[in-house]
Amino acid sequence: MNSLLQVPAVLGGAFVLTFAAGRLTDLLLRRAAARHPETPLWTMLRRCRTSIRVLLLAATLRAVYRQIGWQPLQDHATAVGRILTLVLIGASAWCVVLVTSAVVESSYARYAHGTRDASRVRRVRTQVTLIMRIVTAVVVVVAAAAMLLTFPDLRAVGTSLLASAGIIGIVAGVAAQSTLGNLFAGFQIAFGDMVRIGDTVVVAGEWGVVEEITLTFLAVRTWDERRITMPVSYFTGRPFENWSRGGIQMTGTVFLHCDHTTPVALMREKLKEILDGCEAWDARGWDLSVTDTTPSAIVVRAIVTAKDADDLWTARCAVREQLVAWLAEKHPYALPRVSTAAAPATPADGVSKRAPGSDA
């Protein structure tokens, strides 16, 4: 065969072989997914078909390109082989990451579907997310190192640098002390179960939900849709509130300042009526008490419970709004006010006079 015709023949054959293998793999995965719909693994593995085709194409061309007698290709055989090797390494790393991601996500999906404990599901989700980031980073580093080792000049450089690896490691460790601290803090968060994706936390005076955890930073989404990004070492070195720790149900308080003449008993009955009509209240408990007094007012504390932080916020707002509206409509005298009346006169002899008919 003419050497010039060998190029399209080999390329066409490689493409046909790759396409056929890719179609066969996709067909087998589709049939497996149809037979086992309870297992999402086979459907997730179908995302790997593009990387598998690139991997098969690079491997096929890498195996047969030297058999082509086309002279320009023979003159640059080394460069072509190196390019195909780089593509083969990159496609292999891509395929490994996708396969690992499919296996991990499938395992997490089955676990989440069969577990009713929301806190445990969030813990596993956090660990799975960080494990996938670690695996991806390791695969990328190994693939990059394998690519660099295909160049003879870099092999010599790597050998010479290996002799001074101890000194370089010490210098790099000192220079990247904060980065390494965040990295180890990420491991501690993932497996120490101190904070998880989906937890409701209060950090730096801000209330929000943990939205993302990486090896170096953590993102908290606040109630007004802002994102607070902070290093993960913040959560291992400083105290913070985790409202989802040990269960997501919560107890909250509503404080009202009222006049001393407030009908507390009626106010307590009204609170129960409000909670009975509030869907955010979980009926675990409630209470209303006078917790403090000042010369001009009393402090009334209402206690409500809810199944999570969002419902607790809704219940507290509803109680506060409806209690104030009820007092303003039915008992306006119970609202706090500033007294402008003149003070009673003090007797000249310094002895208080009793009203007529009072006991001696």
Side-chain angles (χ1 to χ4, degrees):
M1 181 184 294
N2 188 353
S3 61
L4 188 59
L5 297 179
Q6 288 182 349
V7 177
V10 171
L11 290 178
F15 277 106
V16 170
L17 179 62
T18 301
F19 180 79
R23 289 287 296 180
L24 179 61
T25 303
D26 187 61
L27 179 61
L28 293 176
L29 292 175
R30 188 178 302 175
R31 289 185 176 180
R35 291 181 179 180
H36 303 281
E38 74 283 357
T39 304
L41 174 61
W42 310 112
T43 302
M44 293 180 178
L45 284 175
R46 292 186 60 199
R47 299 180 300 185
C48 307
R49 56 183 180 269
T50 303
S51 61
I52 293 176
R53 288 172 180 171
V54 175
L55 177 62
L56 292 176
L57 180 61
T60 303
L61 294 178
R62 183 70 176 79
V64 303
Y65 81 98
R66 289 187 179 275
Q67 307 301 323
I68 302 176
W70 192 37
Q71 189 59 38
L73 183 60
Q74 295 295 328
D75 295 339
H76 301 85
T78 303
V80 172
R82 185 169 297 162
I83 293 174
L84 291 176
T85 300
L86 295 177
V87 175
L88 184 61
I89 295 173
S92 300
W94 184 17
C95 187
V96 169
V97 170
L98 291 180
V99 171
T100 305
S101 176
V103 173
V104 172
E105 290 182 14
S106 173
S107 302
Y108 167 73
R110 296 188 63 179
Y111 178 84
H113 180 72
T115 304
R116 296 184 178 180
D117 190 346
S119 62
R120 185 173 298 179
V121 172
R122 291 199 304 272
R123 180 182 63 186
V124 174
R125 179 186 175 189
T126 302
Q127 294 175 351
V128 165
T129 301
L130 292 179
I131 288 174
M132 273 309 306
R133 294 183 185 275
I134 294 172
V135 170
T136 302
V138 170
V139 171
V140 170
V141 171
V142 171
M147 290 180 178
L148 292 177
L149 290 177
T150 59
F151 297 91
D153 295 338
L154 293 180
R155 291 180 188 175
V157 173
T159 303
S160 61
L161 290 178
L162 188 61
S164 57
I167 299 177
I168 295 177
I170 295 175
V171 174
V174 174
Q177 184 176 1
S178 60
T179 303
L180 293 177
N182 283 328
L183 182 63
F184 287 112
F187 282 105
Q188 187 175 352
I189 286 178
F191 299 99
D193 197 26
M194 63 175 59
V195 63
R196 299 154 297 194
I197 296 175
D199 280 2
T200 301
V201 297
V202 178
V203 290
E206 295 283 354
W207 173 89
V209 178
V210 178
E211 188 175 54
E212 183 181 6
I213 299 178
T214 69
L215 291 178
T216 56
F217 71 90
L218 186 148
V220 176
R221 175 173 52 84
T222 62
W223 64 273
D224 55 354
E225 301 298 330
R226 291 180 292 117
R227 267 64 175 181
I228 301 177
T229 302
M230 56 188 61
V232 292
S233 59
Y234 177 94
F235 291 85
T236 59
R238 300 180 185 179
F240 65 95
E241 296 183 32
N242 189 343
W243 291 2
S244 302
R245 180 84 176 186
I248 58 176
Q249 66 272 10
M250 300 188 66
T251 300
T253 57
V254 175
F255 289 96
L256 295 177
H257 292 265
C258 302
D259 189 77
H260 291 87
T261 59
T262 301
V264 178
L266 296 178
M267 197 173 181
R268 188 175 293 111
E269 295 176 2
K270 183 61 179 179
L271 172 63
K272 184 61 169 63
E273 178 184 341
I274 294 173
L275 292 177
D276 288 339
C278 181
E279 296 182 356
W281 183 53
D282 63 357
R284 285 192 299 115
W286 67 279
D287 189 24
L288 188 141
S289 305
V290 178
T291 59
D292 197 6
T293 181
T294 67
S296 59
I298 60 173
V299 179
V300 179
R301 184 191 67 182
I303 295 178
V304 297
T305 60
K307 65 180 180 63
D308 55 31
D310 292 337
D311 281 358
L312 181 65
W313 175 265
T314 303
R316 291 173 62 195
C317 291
V319 167
R320 185 182 297 109
E321 177 181 348
Q322 295 184 43
L323 276 181
V324 171
W326 175 76
L327 289 175
E329 179 182 359
K330 301 295 184 180
H331 306 279
Y333 60 87
L335 297 177
R337 58 186 182 272
V338 178
S339 179
T340 58
T346 303
D349 54 3
V351 179
S352 299
K353 295 182 180 179
R354 298 182 182 275
S358 62
D359 295 337

